[in-house]
C-alpha cells in the first residue's frame, strides 16, 4: 500500500488544499483528521508566471544524447512540460494518460502547433527507461502519435540539473526512503516558445478546452485558427477554479463588435439601395 500512498496523498494535498481544514470542521469534536505523511507535506507547486527556465541545462534523451533544453524551444511553438519519474507506481502515469486523453480531443498535433517534453526528476532513471515510457505514452495518441523524437522527447538527467529545473518551475517534491518513492504534485506546465512559464494546469485530467486556451495564451495567439483567437478573447483563467471559464467583458466586446458590424452593414445596404433607386429614377 505505501508504495503508492505518498504520490496519491501528494496529489490530494495539491488538488484539495483545504481538505484537512474542512475535515476538521465537519468531523466529530476532538477527533483530528488523518495527517499526511511527512514527505507529502513538502510537495506542491509555487506558481511563477513569466519566469524563464534555464534552457542551458543539459539532459539526455531516449537515445542517450545529451543536449541543452534550448534545443526543445524553437521560439515559435509553445511547449507542454510534464515532470514524471518512470517507475512511479501511479500518479505520473495518471498525469501522462490524462494529458494524452485531453490532447486526443484537441485538433492540434504535437510537432505542429505545439511541442511536448517529459523530464524525469529521478536521477536514477535511464535513457532506456525513458524510451519505454515514451513508447507507451505516445502509442495512446493513436495514428501519428509516435511523432519524431524532437516532437515529444522523454529526458533524464543528473541531480544538479534536475534540481535547477524543478526550482525554476516551482515544482516541489520529496523522496521517501522507506518506500523508495517520491511524493510529488500533479500538473502540466505550459511554457512559451522562448521557455517562460505561462500557465500551470493542475490535476490528472485535462480538458481539450483548457489545453487549447493555455497553448493559445502561451503562444500569444500565434498558433491555431482565427476562430481560436476569437474564442481566446471570451475565456480567462480563473485562479479559484484553476480552469478557463467565460470572460464576461470578452463576451460583451465580441457582442458589441457583432452589433457594430451589423449596423455598418445595414447602413451600407441602405445607402446602396438609395443610390440604386436614384439611378433608376434618373432613367
Amino acid at each position: 500500500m505505501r508504495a503508492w500512498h505518498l504520490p496519491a496523498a501528494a496529489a490530494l494535498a495539491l488538488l484539495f488544499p483545504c481538505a484537512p481544514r474542512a475535515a476538521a470542521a465537519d468531523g466529530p469534536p476532538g477527533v483530528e483528521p488523518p495527517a499526511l505523511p511527512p514527505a507529502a507535506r513538502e510537495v506542491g507547486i509555487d506558481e511563477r508566471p513569466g519566469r524563464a527556465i534555464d534552457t542551458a541545462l543539459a539532459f539526455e534523451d531516449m537515445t542517450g544524447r545529451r543536449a541543452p533544453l534550448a534545443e526543445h524551444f524553437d521560439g515559435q511553438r509553445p511547449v507542454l512540460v510534464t515532470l514524471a519519474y518512470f517507475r512511479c507506481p501511479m500518479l505520473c502515469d495518471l498525469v501522462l494518460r490524462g494529458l494524452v486523453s485531453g490532447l486526443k480531443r484537441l485538433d492540434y498535433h504535437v510537432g505542429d502547433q505545439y511541442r511536448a517534453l517529459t523530464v524525469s526528476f529521478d536521477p536514477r532513471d535511464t535513457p532506456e527507461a525513458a524510451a519505454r515510457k515514451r513508447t507507451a505514452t505516445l502509442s495512446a495518441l493513436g495514428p501519428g502519435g509516435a511523432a519524431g523524437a524532437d516532437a515529444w522527447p522523454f529526458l533524464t538527467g543528473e541531480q544538479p540539473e534536475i534540481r535547477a529545473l524543478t526550482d525554476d518551475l516551482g515544482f516541489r517534491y520529496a523522496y521517501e526512503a522507506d518506500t523508495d518513492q517520491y511524493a510529488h504534485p500533479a500538473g502540466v506546465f505550459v511554457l512559451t516558445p522562448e521557455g517562460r512559464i505561462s500557465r500551470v494546469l493542475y490535476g490528472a485530467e485535462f480538458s481539450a478546452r483548457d489545453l487549447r486556451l493555455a497553448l493559445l495564451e502561451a503562444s500569444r495567439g500565434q498558433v491555431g485558427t482565427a476562430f481560436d483567437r476569437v474564442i481566446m478573447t471570451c475565456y480567462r483563467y480563473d485562479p479559484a477554479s484553476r480552469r478557463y471559464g467565460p470572460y464576461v467583458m470578452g463576451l460583451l466586446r465580441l457582442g458589441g463588435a457583432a452589433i457594430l458590424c451589423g449596423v455598418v452593414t445595414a447602413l451600407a445596404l441602405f445607402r446602396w439601395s438609395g443610390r440604386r433607386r436614384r439611378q433608376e429614377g434618373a432613367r
Side-chain angles (χ1 to χ4, degrees):
M1 290 286 288
R2 291 194 66 188
W4 53 266
H5 179 259
L6 285 173
L12 291 173
L14 174 65
L15 296 174
F16 306 103
C18 297
R21 187 177 302 172
D26 298 336
V31 178
E32 292 293 328
L36 291 172
R41 300 172 198 160
E42 302 175 22
V43 308
I45 294 177
D46 300 322
E47 291 201 29
R48 294 168 179 170
R51 177 163 178 168
I53 66 169
D54 182 0
T55 55
L57 297 172
F59 290 83
E60 290 186 349
D61 66 12
M62 305 82 60
T63 67
R65 187 175 68 89
R66 188 174 177 85
L69 289 175
E71 187 176 274
H72 308 291
F73 293 86
D74 61 7
Q76 298 177 353
R77 292 168 291 183
V79 181
L80 297 174
V81 176
T82 48
L83 296 174
Y85 70 107
F86 304 140
R87 58 186 181 83
C88 180
M90 185 179 69
L91 187 54
C92 296
D93 280 342
L94 289 177
V95 172
L96 290 171
R97 285 201 297 266
L99 178 57
V100 166
S101 177
L103 293 175
K104 287 174 67 175
R105 298 191 296 272
L106 186 66
D107 55 358
Y108 295 170
H109 301 287
V110 61
D112 292 337
Q113 291 84 5
Y114 69 95
R115 303 182 73 167
L117 189 64
T118 297
V119 184
S120 172
F121 52 88
D122 185 347
R124 295 173 296 178
D125 274 333
T126 63
E128 293 77 17
R132 290 192 297 270
K133 182 62 70 174
R134 179 181 183 273
T135 298
T137 301
L138 268 63
S139 63
L141 274 175
D150 62 334
W152 190 343
F154 279 51
L155 308 181
T156 58
E158 302 295 331
Q159 186 63 44
E161 287 78 13
I162 291 172
R163 181 58 68 182
L165 176 60
T166 55
D167 285 348
D168 282 347
L169 292 171
F171 182 89
R172 292 185 284 108
Y173 63 102
Y175 176 70
E176 174 55 58
D178 291 345
T179 60
D180 191 27
Q181 301 292 342
Y182 288 90
H184 60 90
V188 173
F189 297 87
V190 187
L191 273 62
T192 70
E194 298 76 29
R196 292 186 177 274
I197 301 169
S198 174
R199 186 67 63 198
V200 182
L201 301 180
Y202 292 88
E205 295 183 357
F206 310 96
S207 70
R209 183 189 70 182
D210 283 353
L211 289 168
R212 177 193 298 272
L213 292 171
L215 290 170
L216 284 168
E217 185 180 30
S219 70
R220 302 178 188 88
Q222 296 305 304
V223 302
T225 63
F227 178 74
D228 287 333
R229 290 187 280 277
V230 171
I231 292 298
M232 186 172 62
T233 66
C234 300
Y235 285 84
R236 285 291 185 275
Y237 184 80
D238 179 11
S241 65
R242 292 176 171 174
R243 293 289 185 271
Y244 286 87
Y247 178 52
V248 175
M249 290 304 298
L251 293 171
L252 289 176
R253 290 194 191 103
L254 187 61
I259 293 172
L260 180 60
C261 288
V263 170
V264 171
T265 302
L267 289 173
L269 289 173
F270 180 77
R271 292 184 62 184
W272 175 81
S273 178
R275 188 181 304 114
R276 185 175 179 182
R277 283 197 300 269
R278 286 193 300 272
Q279 290 174 350
E280 290 176 350
R283 294 174 187 172

